[in-house]
Structures are given as structure tokens and as C-alpha cells.
Amino acid sequence: RPGPPPDGTSSTLSLFTTTPLLECDSFIISGFQTSLENMATGGMALSKEFFDFLKAIGESKSKQEEDRICLREMARLKQKLEPVPSNATHPLASKKKAKEFLVRILYVEMLGHDASFGYIKAVELAASASLYHKRTGYLVCGACLPPTHEFRFMLVNQMQRDLTSTNVLECSGGVLACTSIITADMVPAVASEVQRLLQHDSATIRKKSIICLHRFHQLDHDTVTEQQLQEALRKSLCDKEPSVMGASLSVIESLVRNGARVNSDLTPYKDLVPSLVSILKQIGEHRLPGEYEYHRVPAPWMQLKLIRILGLLGQADNRTSQGMYEVLHTTLKQADAGINAGFAIVYECCFTIVKIYPNTTLLDAAAEAVARFMTSRSNNVKYLGVTALAQMVEQHPKYAAQHQLAVLDCLEDSDETLQRKTLDLLYRMCNPVNVEFIASKLIEFITDNNTTDLFLKQVLTTRVCTIAEKYAPNNSWYISTISHLCRVAGDWVAPGVAQNLMSLIAEGTGESEEADAQLRQTAIAIYIDLLHQGDIATLPSILIETMAWCLGEYAYMSDTTTVTEVLESLCILAKNYKSFQSNNGGSDESQKRTRHAIVSAILKLVAQAGTCPPTAAATIDEHTSSTDAELAMQCLEFQAMLTQTPHMLPHVFPVDASAEDLDCDVNLSFLDAYVSEAIHSGRAQPYEKPEDDDDDDDYYGSGGGAGASSSTAFNLTPYEKPTKPTTVPTMMLSGVGSGATSGQQGMSLPPGAGAGGTSAPAAQVAAPAAGGLNTRNVANVWGKGGINTAPAPTPQAPPPAAAPQRAGAWDQVASAGQPAATMTSSSYGSAPAPPPPPAEKTEEQLKKERMAAALFGGIDPNSDVVRASNTTPSFVPKRATPAPRPTAAAAAPPVAAAPPVAAPAPAVDLLDMSGWDAPAPAAPAPAAPAEVDIFSAPAAPPPAVVETVSSEEEAVAPPPSAPAAPPPPAAAAAAPAVAADPFAGAGLLDSLADKPLAGFSAAPTKFEYNGAPMTPLTIATAQFGQYWGSCTATSSGSVQSSTISTLDAYMKKVQSSVGAHAVEAIAATSEGICAGSIGSSQVCLIHAKLTPLGGGSMRIDFTVKSTDGGIASSLTTHLQTMLR
């Protein structure tokens, strides 16, 4: 309006004097205020109190400040629950405010505070008619209520109503609530309702019901049995909705994985393999709706689940694995599309191919996929390739050789995560040929100061100790490697490793005195070099203790330093170590133990030298006043012995007697004469146990002193805890050496410390059932073919070899009624194409290849000369002899000789008495089968690759593949001709209708087991070491023989009387190894060590290992009888 208002107010306020303008502006102002409130709360529909609480929590600087904020929030929430007057409105009367109240309680609970005062509101809100608020109530109850809380039982009736509701959303909320709220006691109340929901019209309800039923089975096996769950899964697997099928796959994978973890029988699930293979094939053919595709990859998560299930079911089962070969190969090729989802499927395919029964064609395809991973520019894909390669080399080490340069590139990459995974790969592929290179790389990574992960360094230290003890080429290398590891790793090295090192030096290898002396001289030279370094006091305690013990025992064997010089250096070390530890601190126990070791070495060297230098006397005198009472007493006793009875020093400190056993007289019999004389002279009285003993322990159990009886005494001994039957794991020590085992329980033995052990037995899995899953009556909603598959046929005899089919003839195989994934020899048995000729390489490439050869083939990276593969180590280990390096003859596959033709056996007249004493003719060798099994092991012996280190820490490793069948035995000599029967010639036997009875056969000259004779197993030494680790049954024996005087005589005796093949005779250690087989699958290995006893007799200690325990024990008994 023009001009000022008549009342003198401002023109702005005058706008509200008109009624129409007042209503409009009030609406605008209220909307403006709501906008400001939404801006203040971050755009969320929160109250200001809740928003301030969240903001304060986010801005808190310490846990104490966060606790104070939570306590204030809890006080405000408690006020909202207080009763209000009847004429006032309750703060939580609105469902919206009640919902926010529960959400605030949930926040307080997540921050670690008790908000149980608000649980009742969650129960009330769960019974709300509003689905939105019902969901909030169920969420808070499932997240906050303890399993034993009584409020859970108040929700049972509400969940039952929701499960039977006709509203799909209420029913869905009830099923979700059951999975998080129901306990084992409440399962019977709702299990029947959930089972009825499996037939619900809504696919959402059906897929949630199968998940809920699985949860009930986990809680109560009696209410929902495994059989009921399996029936429900089979129906869900055939559901017309793919989402229900996908939910059932998750449950099947969980059940199969748990069954494989506890080694339970997986036979009930193996008949699902044809259906799973059909589903996987249809997914790969894009028969699912388009919404299941992810970046053009059809249903990747379903494919991953299916592949993992197939891998678990096909492990160590040839028949089941054959049904999935083709679909795995097809999926592997289709998924390699260059995107992350495809990479995940390819990785799972590679992992499954390694786990199931091996097939050469699939392994080659997996190796090609891994090669593409290793050559990728992305470190993430490289990491995937290294992980897959680490899984492959455990069972198939030959596939690592083609990735030499790629592994070195990953090892030198700046990505620390990729380096760690590559180090894990190196550990898994370690063998006696490349152990030096791998150990140096692992130690180099431990020494790297840029690595701050202490846990990783500790793990790598343990792995270096493991491979050094298992694959050491000689004892000198083992001593130097462990000593260097103790220097760089320090306290991460287990004390048992140092103990085993000292035991090896003290006991020697057992070969000869010269070899043991040379071994000790090598150790002394290493430790004297360390002793002369300036920073000796800064070395780790475990290395100082080992060095001090070794110098104290064998310093006199040094060629470069005298005992007096070593004694002077140890005295300086004792002085410097004391000052260093006082300035830098450290563990008291560790310091005491190290000082004891140094002083003990000084005392031993004084006794060996026969004189006490001034520096040694000063050191001993200084420690007589030590705060360590034991050390002070030791020094005082030595001073008294040195001054009063010096002639006793050689007896108290004998030379090279650390490995000898000490005879301890626990009865102190040397005091009997003194005690008898004291009693006889009256200076002492015989000891008598007092009648009235106040010790309360005498009254427990059987009674005690006067007045106590066993019937009235209290028995305070607790009941014994019931024991569960457990399976004792089999320890495995590789190698075939002999000798005494380490006395420390639970520690790995160094090379040369003991005989080889056994590995875990291969899992024996039953064959799948004959009937398959019937999916014929399922509606076609996925595509043209749906998921309809023909039922698995009943087992029949294999048909004769037919013309090879094409790789893509899927429909022909399926229409013939055979399993959908069977493969023909033409598609998976063809030889690979020859590689193209190699191109010329630069000097840098040649240098890198030499370094890779050190990792994969034993070539020194700093030299151009290949090591002689038949070089024998100077020191043959005694505890765990590693398999020697393969020779040139063993590397090339032997040419299979033509099987000998057995002469026809003449007719035997069993009534001729003269034929009873003749040896029975050998049974003819079985004829070769007409058709060739394309998935069986090749006839040639496996490559000369020794067993690799297996991880652990890790799950149950797949059993090794069956060894190659041995060559057929040579045909036995033809039996002598039998004279004609005179009775039959005269026609006196014409009235006899039956054939003559069989005669008694002569006792067999070679070892037989259940009628099957031992046949030679022609293998090389490297293959013997490989088979040694895979044989599970072990039996040992010892016999004193008067007929065998040399190693050659023993080898010939085993060949002639047992039937085994003489693999190698080691004359330097008087050891021999032989190999044989029973039938075509049972392997028998014999390792023996001969020890002369004098008088022409020989003690033979032998160990028999086999894949069957009965064969091992029977062969041991046969050897003990035969070798006498």
C-alpha cells in the first residue's frame, strides 16, 4: 500500500493485517520451518535429540567421552518410559516416536551399553499392525535380546500369527524373525508352519522358508532332521523360480562343506551331481531371465556356488568327477571374458579342477587360465593367479615350471601384498632342488626393514625352519642356514630348532667319525667367525646360547684358533653382554639363560685347556657374587674344585660327552656304607615313619593316622572328565634316513634326525547312488529347455571302444541316456600341439632365466654352468634324508618294454604223485583291456618331482593321485612236463563223473598277499621319495642275520625272495631302498640300513611303507623270517 499505515507501524507488519495474506504467509512460514528442521537433521526424518546424539558420537575424541554421551542418552530414554498424568500425552504414544525410541536403543546397545529397560517396547512394537513398525520391533528383538531372555518366548505367538497370515509381507517378516529370534527350545512350536510355507504361492516366501528351515536344523537336529531338510532341498532345487533354486544352492553348499570338514559321508548328495551339472550348463547358455546377468555374465553367484559344490562332491571320487569334466571345461572357457565376475568364475573352476579326481586335459586348461592371470597388468589379477598356482603346485608341481619368470616378477613387485602371496607360493613349491634359493628369498624378506608386519616375519621364520629341516641338501648348509636365520630372526626362532641343531652337532650323522668331525669343524668355523665380530653382544640370545654351547664342547677341533683364544673371546663376550643388557633391558629369564650358557662354556674350556687364564679367573670370580644364586653357586663350586681337586675336572667336564646318557643313582647307594657305619657306631638311628602324621592328604581316600578310617574319610578327588573319542593325526616326516629320533616332543627333526613318516590317508568316498534327481515335470520358464535333465542311468558295463565323438556333441550324449558331462577320448585325450620354435633371447633375459632356473631347476643364478644332477651331498642326513636330486636317466621317461609272452602251461595230472613237489606254475599275466581309459594315470612313471610342503594352516588336502601301475611281471618258467596217467590210459577212471581234486601247491618262494604276488616296481630314487610320503601304513623291524654280510647280498636277497625292485644301494651309508607292488594299485616300499656286528653277522634295521596296513605288517613278518 502506498504511504505509511495509519497506526504508525511498519509496512512489513502491515502485510499481516489483511486476512487473505495472513493465511498464505502462515503456510509459507510453517513450510520454511520444516525445511530448516530437515536441513538441521541432515535431510533425515529424525528428531533433534537423536540428531544431536549422532553428531556428538561422531565428534567424540575418546572412549570416555563417548561413554558420557551414551549415559546422557540413556537417561533421556529412561525418562520417556516414565508414567505420565492421565490428562497428558505419553511421549511414545505415537508409533513414529516409538520407532525412533527403539532405533536409539539399538545405537546405545551397539556402543556397548545396556539398554534392557527398553526391550519391552520392542516386543510391543513387534505386535503392531503396521508392517513398518513390526519390522523395527523384530529387528531390535533379534539384535538385542540374549538367547536366554524371557521376552523371546513372548514373541512366539506373534510369529505364529505372522507365519499363518494371508498377507505376504507379514508372512515374510515372520519368517525373517524366526531365523534370528527362535532358539532351540522354540523350534518345535514353529517348525511345522515353516515347512508348510515351502508350498507357498510366493517365491519370496519359499526361498526364505528354505533358509529358515536350515537354521532350524542347525538348532535342533531332532525336530528338523537331515533327511527332511534334504527332501525340501531337492524340491526347492527343482523350483520354477530361479531365486528359490539359488537359495537352495546356498543351503546345499553349507551342508556339503560342513560334511567334508568333519569327514562325514557325502553319498546322499552325490546323486545331485547330474542335476547340478545340468543347471550349470543352462545358466551358461543364458536360459535364465536377463535380470540375473551381471555385466553380461549370467548369474555369476549361482555359478560360483555350483562350482564349489561340484568340487566338494568330486574330491577323491573318479566316478562322480567324470560327470562334471565337460561342464567345468565349458564354464572355464565361457567365463574367461576379461571382467572381474568372469575372473572369479575362472578361479573357482581352477580350484575345483585341482580338488576333484585329476584329468590331464582339464589341468592343462586350468594352467592356461592361470598363465593369463600371471601375465596380467593388474596386480589384483596377478594375485588371483598366484593364489591359483599355489593351489595347483601342491598336487601337480610340474605346472609351476612354465611360470618361472612371472613368479620372479611378482616376487620383485613393489606391491607388498603380491609379494607375500608369492612367498607363500614359493613355500608350497619347495623341494630339495630349489630349497637353497627359496630359503634365501624368505630370509631376505625377513631381513627387509621395510616390512613392518611382525606376524608375517614370524610365519616366514617358521617356514624357513620347516623347509630347512625337510629338504636340506647337506648338514653343513643346514647349520649355516639356521645360524643365519637365528641372527636375523632372533626370538622368532623356536627354542626347539636350536635344540635340534645342537643335537645334530653332538650326535653327528652316524656315517663315520671323519664325517662327524668335519661337520663339527664346519660349525666351529661358523661360530668362531661370529665370535670375532665387534657387535657380538647385540646378537639374539638364542644364537649366543647355541654358539656358546658349541664352542664349549668342540672349540678344540678348530684349525685356526686355539682353545685359549676362544676362552679369551668368551670372557670378553660375557663382559660386553652384561653391560649391553644393563643398558638396553630385556627379559630377566632370557638374560639368566644366556649368562649361564656363556659361563658354562668358559668353565668347560678351562677344564679342557688345563689352565685358567687371568681373564677367565676374573670372569669366574665376578660371577661368584652374582644375584643369580644358581650361577654364583656354580662358579664357587668350580673355584673350589680348581684349587682343591683339579684332577676331578676331566671327570666333571668330559670332552665330547654331551650325547652320552647319565646314570643317575636315585637310591643314593654310594651312601649305604656310611649310613651303616653311623648306625652301628650309635651316631645315628634308623629312620622310622611317624605314627601320628598330621598331613591332611593321608586322610583323603584310603584313610590315615590314628582314629581315621577309610570308611569315614572324605574323598575329595574330583570325578574324571569324560573323554571323547578323537582321531590322532598322523605326523609326517619326509625322507628315508635312519637313526634316532629327537627327544623333544612336538618339534620337527633336522636333516638326518629320523626315519620318514606317513601322511594323512586319502579319503575314501563311496560311489554315488544310481538314481538321479527327477526334473522332468518342471515347468519351462527359464528358456527353451528349462532345467529338464534325464535321470542318471543305472551302472552298466562299459561299452566297447567306439569311434571318437566331437567335443561339442552334448545333445547326442544326453539323448543316449548317459550322464550329461561324460567325455570322450577325442575331446579330452588329444595331445597338445607342438610349441613354436623359441626366439632368440637377450643377455638380460638369459640372466633372469638362470635365476628362475635356480628356483625351478637347481641352477645357480650367478653361474652359467648347470649343476650336476647326480651329485651326492657330502653329509647324508641321519634324521630325515631328503630325496636326492633326479639323475639324467630318471628325468627321461623310460621306454615301455613289450610284455613277455607266457608259454602255454601243460596239462597237469593231479593224480601223479611226482608232481606234488614241483613248484606251482605262475598265473599268466592278465590281458590288456581293449579300451583305453582317457582319465587314468599315464603308463609312464610320474615326473621326478618330490613332495612339496603343504600348508596348514589351512583344511584337508586332496589325496595324491594313484601311482602309475608297475610293469607286468616276467613270465614264470614253464612247468616241467607231467607224465601220462596210467590209470586214465587203461580206462580205469571212466566211471568217475567229477574232475580230479586239486593237488597241494608248493610254498611260494616270493612274498604274496591274499594270493597276489609281489611284482617289481621300477622307479627312480626321486620317485621313491615321492611315493614314500604318500604311503600311509608304516611297519618297522630289525633282524640279526648270519647269512647276509654285504649290502649287495641283501639287495639280491630282497630281489629273489621278496620280488621287489632294487631302486638304489647307498654304499656310503650301508642303506638300500627297494620298491614293489601288489596288484596294480598297492605300493610297497622297503628301506633298510645294515650295521656290522662282528663275526660275520649283520644287523638289518628296515622300514616297510605301503598304501595298505595289512600288506606292511605281512611284509615285515616275511622279511624277518627271510633275512635270518
Side-chain angles (χ1 to χ4, degrees), residues 703-964:
S709 64
S710 60
S711 60
T712 60
F714 288 103
N715 184 6
L716 301 182
T717 304
Y719 291 108
E720 294 184 357
K721 185 177 181 180
T723 58
K724 295 181 179 180
T726 56
T727 302
V728 181
T730 307
M731 301 300 292
M732 180 178 70
L733 292 173
S734 68
V736 294
S738 62
T741 58
S742 175
Q744 185 165 352
Q745 183 178 3
M747 297 305 302
S748 301
L749 300 178
T758 61
S759 62
Q764 300 295 333
V765 184
L773 184 65
N774 187 7
T775 59
R776 290 184 175 274
N777 298 325
V778 179
N780 180 10
V781 296
W782 288 11
K784 183 177 180 181
I787 61 169
N788 298 331
T789 57
T794 57
Q796 299 177 357
Q805 286 184 338
R806 293 175 300 172
W810 175 274
D811 298 333
Q812 299 176 8
V813 178
S815 63
Q818 300 298 328
T822 54
M823 299 165 55
T824 59
S825 59
S826 62
S827 58
Y828 290 95
S830 59
E840 296 183 0
K841 302 176 182 178
T842 62
E843 182 63 27
E844 182 179 359
Q845 291 177 338
L846 293 175
K847 181 178 180 181
K848 197 168 187 179
E849 289 181 358
R850 286 195 296 269
M851 184 178 296
L855 171 61
F856 295 88
I859 300 178
D860 190 352
N862 297 324
S863 66
D864 296 332
V865 183
V866 181
R867 295 185 184 178
S869 59
N870 55 358
T871 304
T872 304
S874 303
F875 305 101
V876 179
K878 174 183 176 183
R879 290 177 173 80
T881 306
R885 300 180 182 181
T887 60
V895 179
V901 180
V908 180
D909 189 353
L910 299 178
L911 293 181
D912 187 4
M913 304 303 177
S914 63
W916 285 14
D917 297 331
E931 66 176 30
V932 180
D933 187 1
I934 59 174
F935 305 120
S936 61
V945 180
V946 299
E947 100 181 54
T948 57
V949 182
S950 104
S951 157
E952 326 307 266
E953 314 124 344
E954 305 80 286
V956 181
S961 58

Side-chain angles (χ1 to χ4, degrees), residues 18-33:
T18 305
T19 303
L21 292 178
L22 179 60
E23 294 176 355
C24 179
D25 290 346
S26 63
F27 175 77
I28 294 175
I29 292 174
S30 62
F32 181 69
Q33 291 175 350

Side-chain angles (χ1 to χ4, degrees), residues 463-595:
R463 291 184 172 183
V464 171
C465 296
T466 301
I467 63 176
E469 292 170 353
K470 201 167 187 178
Y471 301 119
N474 53 68
N475 291 326
S476 300
W477 178 87
Y478 175 79
I479 294 174
S480 61
T481 300
I482 295 298
S483 301
H484 182 49
L485 180 65
C486 291
R487 182 172 185 178
V488 300
D491 296 336
W492 292 325
V493 180
V497 176
Q499 181 66 33
N500 289 339
L501 178 61
M502 291 185 286
S503 299
L504 175 64
I505 296 174
E507 298 175 4
T509 61
E511 303 174 12
S512 61
E513 293 295 334
E514 293 78 8
D516 294 344
Q518 187 176 359
L519 175 65
R520 291 162 185 159
Q521 288 177 357
T522 302
I524 290 300
I526 293 174
Y527 293 132
I528 286 180
D529 292 341
L530 287 176
L531 189 62
H532 291 163
Q533 295 181 3
D535 58 345
I536 181 63
T538 62
L539 294 178
S541 298
I542 189 172
L543 181 58
I544 295 179
E545 294 167 12
T546 306
M547 177 184 62
W549 177 88
C550 188
L551 294 177
E553 291 288 339
Y554 305 106
Y556 64 90
M557 302 183 68
S558 175
D559 297 334
T560 58
T561 309
T562 62
V563 174
T564 305
E565 293 175 351
V566 175
L567 187 58
E568 296 285 344
S569 300
L570 285 176
C571 294
I572 297 174
L573 171 61
K575 181 179 180 181
N576 295 340
Y577 181 79
K578 183 177 181 181
S579 60
F580 175 78
Q581 292 297 328
S582 61
N583 296 332
N584 296 273
S587 174
D588 294 337
E589 291 296 329
S590 177
Q591 294 180 19
K592 288 181 181 180
R593 189 171 57 249
T594 306
R595 284 197 297 268

Side-chain angles (χ1 to χ4, degrees), residues 57 151 219 248 388 424 536 832 841 899 903 1077:
I57 289 294
F151 284 179
L219 294 174
S248 64
D424 180 70
I536 181 63
K841 302 176 182 178
S1077 64

